[in-house]
Amino acid sequence: MKTTIDFEECLKDSPRFRQFISREETDIEHLEQRLEKIIKLCNVAVDSGKEYIKNQSAFAMSLWDLQQHFADNKNAHNALGKLIHCFQEMNKFHTTLLDQASRTVLKNLSVFIKDDINQVKDYKGHFLKVSEGYDNALIKNAQASKNRPQEVQEAANILSATKSCFQHTALDYVNYITLVQSRKVPSILSTLLDYYQACVTYYHQGFDLCNDFDEFFKNISEDLNCLRGDYQQLEKEMQNRHMSVNSFSDTNTNSTSNKIEGYLFKKKSKGFKTWCRRWFYLSDNQLVYSDLDSHYRKRCNEDSFSVMEEDLRICTVRPVNDGDRRFCFEVISPTKSHILQADSADMLTLWISALQKSIGAAIQHDSQNSRPHSSLAANALNSKRKIHWEQFLKIPGNSKCCDCRGIDPRWASINLGITLCIECSGVHRSLGVHYSKVRSLTLDAWETENVKVMMELGNDVINRIYEARIGEHCELKVPTENCEISVREAWIKAKYVEKRFVCAMPKPHELLASETAEILSIDSGGGEGSSIHKLDTTSLCKTLSLGARKWAVKKYRRRGHRKRKRSSSKSDEDDDNESLDIPSMSLSISREDLLVIGEELTTECLSMPAILGSDQESTEGENEPEVLDEIPFSKLDANLMLYKASKVHNLPVMCMAFALGANKHWRNVSDFNRTFLHQAVLSGSVMACEYLLLNGVPIDAVDDNGLSALHMSTDKGYIAQVYLLLKHKAKYDTESNDGKKPLDIAVDQRNADIVTLLRLTRLNDEIGLNDEGNGEDETYKDVMKDFSHFAASQPRMLRNRNDTNTLESQRSSLTNSD
């Protein structure tokens, strides 16, 4: 593209050149103003879009609760599941569109202003400075006296040099202006075209998504038409509802059946002997009533029933006429009596007649002649009994749902470390967070600690634990990708709540038996093919006779090691499994007198996807020979197993201990009454601490020295652990037996990072109290995010930041600011 002014005009510094310069500068300034306005409004649009996505995501998540309301309606439940999936996918597409807006419009236009327009503005100042120098040289040359040749010569030399500099500068300035003017159209249009293509992709993806579900929702629409017809028919039938009042009264008046239920006033036998209205009925020769009054039942819909008389065969009933209240009768047993009041004389007669018939029938037949007519009552009696999510799917077994084996799961349980399909995740939510904490792989923000837990476990490992005893004669139907919701619910409840398929903990006396023993083993295949494997009786007896009297938990090594040879006592079937490239977990004998828990899982290095080192801060010393903490068989139980696994941060064994029934509140009386969390802190593992906290282990428990987990992590200088505990709302003001709080320990050790964390947390709580709980301070959030990012990317550096001068200066500044 040619310049819009000749170079000769630039060299002459003509009025036309100056007009060109002024016009172009005004045009570029106008362009800059318009582009800045576009960037500002685009930023507003992106921010509002993110807020919309956030609210839309919350809206989609709220539909989960609505879906559970229709758990007994398969069509409605499935339709809601599909709709939720559609909304979540649309949110994902919208998120991608906003990301493209940031990458194209915001980034490209900002770069154009910064690299092009600002360069012209910067060179403008240089041009004006040189132009001013040229004007001064011209004036000085004109003022030089012809009678002073030396002065004339000096002025001429300065003018010549200044003129040359001006001409070169003018040409460069014209070059910058011309290039910006020629580049603005392709830069701006290409940027907007890229954004247009992103919009086209967004709408195309939405169209394809809707098209995929078009047939399904057409069928739903047809079903809705049928439901509307049923509703209209029901509405017509309900128009005669008031006619049932008379028929109900006539039925109750003429009834002679001993199957009766209804409200009666009951006189309390203790206290002020007040009257309360309760729902009574006859059931299996018993007189039963609801513990809740009629008004309360309307509000809460709870069921709680008590038996007034357990055996009507030993009771009599008679009317009561000597009291102040009408329609009363008395039920008398050999040990007590009950005064009841009906609502009318007819109901009094019905109740007395029904009770007498029930008593007579029970005496005559000595069998069950009275059963609850109300299904509600019968049930009441029975009632007494932003992550790299794609890489998660590369973990063994995670590419399919952990429970139904459906492909492409998009949900996860962060405390179990498994991936789930959308249908199974809904069932997991219904279990409650004390069993399963469900997160979306694609929509929820994933914290570093949660990612670490997921990386340590996975569907294969969990199924080897929770599906270890699934045999050919399993009484439950195994769920599939397209099974009914009732099948999923029954299976998941049996698997995680009842732990029906978990191998039982071998008892010490069984392991020490001289005849036979059964050792817990989880097959490397996992899932449906898993079973309990029995060791060869002769080999086991030989092993036990040689003095197998101890057990230990294998430390989870996260670096590559050569695979060890198994014990000669393994069966041929186990030798075949050894060739598989999938590690198995078991209680296996690694030498004749020692049972090593987790031996097979930890001898093979998994090729995990490198999204984050699962426990990269806890690998110190792994190249050194391992010294096992050997424990007598007499102390083999799930609690001590979890305690020792926490010490060596072996998550699969920790998970197995929980499945075997480890008590979350257990303390080791032989080790200062410390908890599992104390051991995880001492191991230096953030991941082990996070796993325990996700599974409900108490965070503020103290040992015999009054030390909490926060005390210990502060004393050890484990900054990442301190951050984790504070994030989980650990108490920072607990005093140990020697009167020290975690902050006192951090100050004594001159650990500026931990001092900062503790003081900021305390300050944030104080601000929250003053603001009546309006939320966390934004500065506090930013600092905590920085610590989280640092702990994730460079944990060792965070732990080793102990430069004395730096810490001392930071401590001084913190002390002054405090």
Side-chain angles (χ1 to χ4, degrees):
M1 179 181 290
K2 295 182 179 180
T3 60
T4 56
I5 189 171
D6 294 335
F7 290 151
E8 185 178 348
E9 298 294 334
C10 304
L11 298 176
K12 291 190 298 185
D13 191 21
S14 65
R16 183 182 176 191
F17 166 69
R18 291 291 179 168
Q19 290 174 359
F20 167 78
I21 293 296
S22 177
R23 183 174 65 252
E24 295 300 311
E25 288 174 348
T26 302
D27 184 73
I28 292 174
E29 182 178 358
H30 181 269
L31 175 63
E32 181 184 18
Q33 293 173 354
R34 295 301 180 270
L35 292 180
E36 287 178 344
K37 183 177 180 180
I38 290 173
I39 292 173
K40 179 180 178 181
L41 293 178
C42 186
N43 263 318
V44 173
V46 170
D47 291 342
S48 61
K50 290 179 179 178
E51 186 67 21
Y52 167 79
I53 291 174
K54 177 182 175 182
N55 294 331
Q56 185 72 1
S57 177
F59 162 70
M61 297 300 294
S62 68
L63 294 179
W64 280 109
D65 296 332
L66 179 61
Q67 187 188 34
Q68 295 307 312
H69 176 77
F70 294 100
D72 57 344
N73 188 326
K74 179 181 177 181
N75 290 336
H77 191 275
N78 292 340
L80 283 172
K82 296 288 187 182
L83 284 170
I84 293 170
H85 177 70
C86 284
F87 294 151
Q88 290 170 341
E89 289 298 311
M90 289 177 182
N91 254 11
K92 178 181 176 182
F93 300 154
H94 203 165
T95 301
T96 304
L97 177 63
L98 294 179
D99 182 62
Q100 289 298 318
S102 299
R103 292 173 181 271
T104 56
V105 179
L106 295 180
K107 181 180 178 181
N108 293 349
L109 295 186
S110 297
V111 168
F112 182 77
I113 292 176
K114 180 180 178 182
D115 294 348
D116 293 286
I117 294 180
N118 287 346
Q119 194 173 26
V120 171
K121 292 170 67 177
D122 292 342
Y123 209 84
K124 175 183 177 181
H126 178 62
F127 171 76
L128 292 177
K129 184 177 181 180
V130 172
S131 178
E132 183 180 357
Y134 180 47
D135 290 341
N136 292 334
L138 287 171
I139 294 173
K140 186 175 182 180
N141 182 70
Q143 291 176 345
S145 174
K146 61 184 179 180
N147 297 324
R148 299 178 181 179
Q150 184 177 356
E151 181 179 347
V152 170
Q153 184 62 36
E154 181 180 352
N157 291 338
I158 294 174
L159 176 61
S160 176
T162 306
K163 180 178 180 180
S164 177
C165 179
F166 169 79
Q167 289 175 338
H168 285 290
T169 303
L171 290 173
D172 288 341
Y173 189 34
V174 170
N175 173 64
Y176 282 120
I177 291 175
T178 304
L179 291 180
V180 168
Q181 292 288 33
S182 62
R183 193 181 297 136
K184 66 182 180 182
V185 173
S187 297
I188 294 173
L189 287 183
S190 64
T191 295
L192 296 179
L193 182 60
D194 289 341
Y195 180 60
Y196 164 78
Q197 293 295 340
C199 293
V200 170
T201 302
Y202 167 70
Y203 290 112
H204 184 69
Q205 288 175 328
F207 174 79
D208 288 344
L209 177 67
C210 295
N211 193 47
D212 290 341
F213 289 99
D214 185 59
E215 188 66 27
F216 176 81
F217 287 117
K218 281 183 179 178
N219 296 333
I220 294 296
S221 298
E222 295 175 358
D223 294 339
L224 287 176
N225 291 331
C226 296
L227 290 176
R228 291 189 184 97
D230 295 341
Y231 168 77
Q232 293 174 355
Q233 182 64 31
L234 179 62
E235 185 180 26
K236 292 179 180 179
E237 294 176 359
M238 293 296 291
Q239 291 176 354
N240 299 322
R241 59 191 178 278
H242 295 290
M243 300 295 294
S244 61
V245 175
N246 295 332
S247 61
F248 176 79
S249 301
D250 295 340
T251 301
N252 280 274
T253 301
N254 298 326
S255 174
T256 59
S257 173
N258 59 347
K259 293 182 179 180
I260 186 173
E261 61 182 353
Y263 283 108
L264 294 172
F265 283 95
K266 170 182 173 294
K267 186 177 183 180
K268 294 184 179 180
S269 58
K270 297 180 180 180
F272 295 100
K273 296 186 177 181
T274 57
W275 293 80
C276 52
R277 196 165 185 248
R278 298 289 185 266
W279 181 267
F280 282 82
Y281 58 91
L282 301 177
S283 171
D284 297 331
N285 298 330
Q286 294 178 335
L287 181 59
V288 184
Y289 69 94
S290 166
D291 288 334
L292 305 174
D293 62 65
S294 57
H295 299 289
Y296 185 74
R297 285 177 60 80
K298 291 176 183 177
R299 294 195 301 270
C300 66
N301 195 29
E302 294 185 10
D303 300 320
S304 179
F305 289 80
S306 297
V307 178
M308 174 175 279
E309 283 297 338
E310 295 185 354
D311 193 348
L312 289 177
R313 292 174 298 177
I314 60 175
C315 298
T316 60
V317 59
R318 66 180 182 85
V320 176
N321 298 319
D322 54 357
D324 294 334
R325 299 173 75 101
R326 301 173 299 162
F327 320 132
C328 293
F329 61 96
E330 185 176 13
V331 178
I332 307 170
S333 70
T335 58
K336 53 188 173 181
S337 66
H338 310 280
I339 304 296
L340 304 174
Q341 181 185 19
D343 292 335
S344 65
D346 292 335
M347 291 305 299
L348 171 64
T349 303
L350 281 175
W351 271 104
I352 292 177
S353 175
L355 284 168
Q356 289 174 342
K357 289 179 179 293
S358 181
I359 292 170
I363 294 174
Q364 180 179 358
H365 300 288
D366 193 23
S367 61
Q368 298 178 352
N369 287 332
S370 296
R371 296 188 178 273
H373 182 65
S374 168
S375 59
L376 179 65
N379 292 335
L381 282 178
N382 293 332
S383 69
K384 292 185 177 180
R385 58 175 187 349
K386 265 168 198 190
I387 58 164
H388 305 266
W389 64 270
E390 296 93 344
Q391 299 194 43
F392 278 151
L393 304 184
K394 299 178 183 179
I395 299 173
N398 280 17
S399 60
K400 294 183 179 181
C401 174
C402 187
D403 296 324
C404 73
R405 308 312 195 261
I407 61 174
D408 294 331
R410 292 295 181 267
W411 296 85
S413 174
I414 58 175
N415 64 309
L416 291 173
I418 58 177
T419 57
L420 302 164
C421 66
I422 188 171
E423 289 82 6
C424 289
S425 69
V427 180
H428 273 256
R429 286 181 184 278
S430 67
L431 298 180
V433 294
H434 52 292
Y435 286 109
S436 185
K437 294 179 172 66
V438 179
R439 296 288 185 275
S440 170
L441 292 178
T442 58
L443 298 178
D444 288 330
W446 279 75
E447 297 173 333
T448 303
E449 298 78 19
N450 299 153
V451 174
K452 289 182 177 183
V453 172
M454 293 290 294
M455 295 297 295
E456 292 286 312
L457 297 171
N459 293 0
D460 274 5
V461 172
I462 297 303
N463 280 336
R464 291 172 200 151
I465 298 172
Y466 282 91
E467 295 184 358
R469 291 198 303 163
I470 299 176
E472 297 179 358
H473 305 292
C474 178
E475 69 278 10
L476 287 179
K477 184 178 180 181
V478 179
T480 59
E481 186 174 4
N482 299 315
C483 68
E484 296 183 355
I485 187 65
S486 58
V487 175
R488 296 180 198 271
E489 291 175 343
W491 179 266
I492 292 173
K493 182 179 179 181
K495 181 176 177 181
Y496 299 104
V497 179
E498 301 171 5
K499 301 174 183 175
R500 194 181 302 178
F501 313 124
V502 176
C503 287
M505 167 67 74
K507 296 180 174 57
H509 68 273
E510 294 175 349
L511 291 173
L512 297 173
S514 61
E515 298 181 359
T516 184
E518 187 174 277
I519 302 241
L520 176 64
S521 177
I522 301 175
D523 185 36
S524 61
E528 299 176 1
S530 302
S531 61
I532 298 178
H533 296 282
K534 295 184 178 180
L535 295 177
D536 179 75
T537 303
T538 304
S539 300
L540 180 62
C541 292
K542 181 180 178 181
T543 300
L544 293 175
S545 66
L546 292 175
R549 292 294 187 272
K550 294 183 179 180
W551 63 275
V553 176
K554 181 70 177 177
K555 183 174 182 179
Y556 199 158
R557 292 176 179 256
R558 293 164 180 81
R559 297 175 180 173
H561 295 275
R562 290 182 304 172
K563 195 165 190 174
R564 301 178 183 176
K565 293 183 179 180
R566 298 189 178 186
S567 171
S568 58
S569 62
K570 286 289 178 181
S571 63
D572 293 337
E573 180 180 351
D574 289 334
D575 291 335
D576 292 337
N577 290 337
E578 185 176 358
S579 65
L580 296 175
D581 193 24
I582 302 175
S584 61
M585 178 172 60
S586 69
L587 300 178
S588 61
I589 297 178
S590 61
R591 78 169 192 250
E592 292 179 343
D593 62 343
L594 181 64
L595 179 72
V596 180
I597 302 175
E599 170 75 14
E600 295 179 12
L601 180 67
T602 57
T603 56
E604 181 72 17
C605 182
L606 292 175
S607 56
M608 291 293 188
I611 67 175
L612 276 175
S614 60
D615 203 20
Q616 55 185 324
E617 79 281 5
S618 304
T619 56
E620 291 85 349
E622 287 198 356
N623 292 327
E624 301 174 1
E626 181 179 0
V627 179
L628 294 175
D629 185 5
E630 300 180 10
I631 306 163
F633 271 153
S634 59
K635 296 183 179 180
L636 177 60
D637 65 25
N639 292 321
L640 193 56
M641 182 191 298
L642 179 56
Y643 192 74
K644 296 301 180 181
S646 300
K647 182 178 180 180
V648 296
H649 45 82
N650 191 327
L651 248 69
V653 176
M654 293 170 71
C655 178
M656 181 169 65
F658 273 127
L660 290 171
N663 183 1
K664 300 173 184 178
H665 301 277
W666 182 82
R667 295 169 179 268
N668 192 345
V669 294
S670 62
D671 190 13
F672 303 102
N673 269 314
R674 288 175 176 169
T675 66
F676 309 123
L677 188 58
H678 286 115
Q679 284 295 86
V681 167
L682 293 177
S683 77
S685 171
V686 173
M687 168 274 302
C689 294
E690 174 70 3
Y691 177 74
L692 291 172
L693 293 172
L694 286 174
N695 284 280
V697 170
I699 191 173
D700 294 316
V702 297
D703 63 6
D704 289 341
N705 296 319
L707 298 176
S708 65
L710 187 57
H711 279 97
M712 288 187 174
S713 58
T714 303
D715 181 64
K716 293 291 184 181
Y718 295 158
I719 302 172
Q721 287 186 350
V722 171
Y723 157 76
L724 175 69
L725 293 168
L726 291 176
K727 185 188 72 171
H728 282 278
K729 307 302 181 184
K731 293 182 180 179
Y732 51 81
D733 54 358
T734 301
E735 292 187 359
S736 60
N737 292 352
D738 57 1
K740 286 192 174 183
K741 299 178 181 179
L743 181 58
D744 301 327
I745 298 174
V747 172
D748 291 343
Q749 295 187 349
R750 300 184 178 182
N751 194 318
D753 292 312
I754 296 181
V755 170
T756 301
L757 281 170
L758 292 168
R759 285 183 172 169
L760 278 176
T761 302
R762 183 181 66 185
L763 178 62
N764 179 69
D765 288 350
E766 292 173 354
I767 292 174
L769 291 174
N770 294 334
D771 292 344
E772 299 181 355
N774 288 332
E776 293 180 340
D777 178 69
E778 292 298 327
T779 303
Y780 175 73
K781 289 182 179 179
D782 293 339
V783 173
M784 296 299 275
K785 287 179 181 178
D786 291 340
F787 270 101
S788 176
H789 176 72
F790 202 22
S793 58
Q794 301 181 21
R796 294 179 186 172
M797 185 180 294
L798 189 61
R799 290 171 58 186
N800 295 327
R801 289 176 58 186
N802 54 5
D803 183 83
T804 305
N805 296 330
T806 303
L807 289 176
E808 183 64 32
S809 61
Q810 290 179 343
R811 177 174 176 265
S812 300
S813 62
L814 287 169
T815 305
N816 295 333
S817 63
D818 192 57

